[in-house]
Amino acid sequence: MPEVEIFGHASPEPINQAIKRGFLQLDNDIIQLATEAILGPTALNKALPDLEPANTGSCALLAIYDVATQLLRVANVGDSRAVLGRRNAAGDWEAIPLSVDQTGSNQDEAARIKAEHPNEPNVVKNGQVLGMAVSRAFGNIRWKVSREIQQAAQHRFFGPPILSDCLTPPYLTAEPVITTTKIEPEKGDFLIMASDGLWDNLTSEQAVELVGRWLKQNDVDHIPLRIDADPYLNESAVSKFNSGPQADSPGTHMAYTGMPFADEEHFVVVDNNAAAHLMRNALGGDREDILRAMFTTHEPYGGYVK
């Protein structure tokens, strides 16, 4: 991997500090509003709008590019990921990580949490933080408030089960890890930002290579602006999708369970939009039967398929 100028995560720069304050204040507001609704004389219909964002959770990935300095800041909370694609001296695309997945499987994150909760040996176990995969997130109130507040939520508002082994919350934080990278446009730099759904099916290297293929086939430096063009799918892709699978029927012997979706053998470049191109290849590529299932299967069964 080539050297990339990345400054310290705990930067004292005002911009970085403003980003951190913004993230933390938003999460504090989410948790505080829910806590007040739980402990106060609040009716259910009025409490639900405040409880819902706190009971659920969310990761966040922010990128800020300064055109003047060509500096790219990336702030990450959770297991979304930012990857920079850059051509090396040989002209090949390389994937440069601009964020680190913040999960219980991340040794640095696990060490940080264990240090914050030294008397809880099982606080990080099997790559999870008391059963939660990510180590940083917005919301997820059960990992951030006391058992007493959880009990009150369960008693008054049909709250979720009390988090077992909750002794010294909070266990999760919404403080972002920030990296700053010098962009080199002459090397064709591009940025991929995606949630874990993409990265569960594509490696960073595969994603960068796929965008590289898309750039080459579409000759992006010479594409004329067409305001009437479909920004996502070209006509041949839509026609192919609507006409049904092009391959022979898989037959009764075909087993889809355990099949890796991102198989380089089935990568294809047919989309006008690079993001749609990545999604297509993450969810099946040229295997139309798998791609159709990914887009049309509803919950709860959709979770097993995807």
Side-chain angles (χ1 to χ4, degrees), residues 128-263:
Q128 296 183 327
V129 183
L130 295 185
M132 173 65 68
V134 295
S135 55
R136 302 183 189 228
F138 288 91
N140 289 311
I141 190 171
R142 291 192 297 159
W143 282 261
K144 296 177 180 177
V145 298
S146 67
R147 292 177 63 90
E148 289 73 23
I149 295 176
Q150 294 182 52
Q151 288 171 342
Q154 190 178 51
H155 174 70
R156 296 193 63 218
F157 298 120
F158 311 101
I162 297 171
L163 184 67
S164 61
D165 299 325
C166 178
L167 301 177
T168 58
Y171 296 95
L172 305 182
T173 179
E175 180 177 356
V177 174
I178 302 175
T179 63
T180 305
T181 305
K182 179 72 172 181
I183 296 300
E184 302 180 34
E186 68 277 8
K187 294 184 179 180
D189 286 4
F190 60 82
L191 176 65
I192 301 174
M193 300 173 66
S195 65
D196 61 320
L198 182 77
W199 306 117
D200 285 345
N201 293 313
L202 287 176
T203 66
S204 298
E205 291 74 18
Q206 285 177 323
V208 167
E209 179 61 28
L210 279 167
V211 174
R213 293 188 192 183
W214 184 90
L215 291 170
K216 180 178 180 180
Q217 178 156 320
N218 286 277
D219 192 16
V220 295
D221 291 332
H222 302 93
I223 293 179
L225 179 63
R226 288 181 53 201
I227 60 175
D228 62 328
D230 188 316
Y232 299 108
L233 299 173
N234 63 30
E235 293 179 1
S236 63
V238 173
S239 175
K240 180 179 179 182
F241 188 83
N242 288 337
S243 63
Q246 302 300 303
D248 293 336
S249 172
T252 58
H253 66 282
M254 182 62 185
Y256 289 100
T257 55
M259 176 183 294
F261 297 143
D263 188 340

Side-chain angles (χ1 to χ4, degrees), residues 30-43 46-48 50-52 54-55 141-142 145-160:
I30 292 172
I31 301 302
Q32 185 64 32
L33 285 172
T35 301
E36 291 175 358
I38 293 169
L39 299 180
T42 312
K46 294 183 178 180
L48 287 179
D50 291 332
L51 294 174
E52 184 174 5
N55 282 329
I141 190 171
R142 291 192 297 159
V145 298
S146 67
R147 292 177 63 90
E148 289 73 23
I149 295 176
Q150 294 182 52
Q151 288 171 342
Q154 190 178 51
H155 174 70
R156 296 193 63 218
F157 298 120
F158 311 101

Side-chain angles (χ1 to χ4, degrees), residues 12-164:
E13 296 178 53
I15 294 177
N16 287 13
Q17 293 304 315
I19 294 171
K20 290 184 178 182
R21 285 197 302 270
F23 275 51
L24 290 171
Q25 185 62 56
L26 174 59
D27 188 56
N28 181 72
D29 290 347
I30 292 172
I31 301 302
Q32 185 64 32
L33 285 172
T35 301
E36 291 175 358
I38 293 169
L39 299 180
T42 312
L44 177 60
N45 64 317
K46 294 183 178 180
L48 287 179
D50 291 332
L51 294 174
E52 184 174 5
N55 282 329
T56 57
S58 177
C59 300
L61 187 61
L62 171 71
I64 301 176
Y65 181 57
D66 186 332
V67 178
T69 62
Q70 294 186 328
L71 291 179
L72 175 67
R73 282 180 173 82
V74 171
N76 184 43
V77 168
D79 57 358
S80 295
R81 188 184 306 170
V83 179
L84 182 73
R86 172 175 291 173
R87 286 193 184 277
N88 60 22
D92 299 321
W93 291 107
E94 294 193 352
I96 301 171
L98 301 188
S99 66
V100 177
D101 297 352
Q102 297 160 359
T103 69
S105 298
N106 180 320
Q107 293 184 358
D108 291 337
E109 286 291 281
R112 174 183 64 80
I113 294 171
K114 289 178 180 179
E116 293 174 352
H117 306 274
N119 298 319
E120 300 176 58
N122 294 323
V123 64
V124 179
K125 185 177 181 180
N126 298 325
Q128 296 183 327
V129 183
L130 295 185
M132 173 65 68
V134 295
S135 55
R136 302 183 189 228
F138 288 91
N140 289 311
I141 190 171
R142 291 192 297 159
W143 282 261
K144 296 177 180 177
V145 298
S146 67
R147 292 177 63 90
E148 289 73 23
I149 295 176
Q150 294 182 52
Q151 288 171 342
Q154 190 178 51
H155 174 70
R156 296 193 63 218
F157 298 120
F158 311 101
I162 297 171
L163 184 67
S164 61

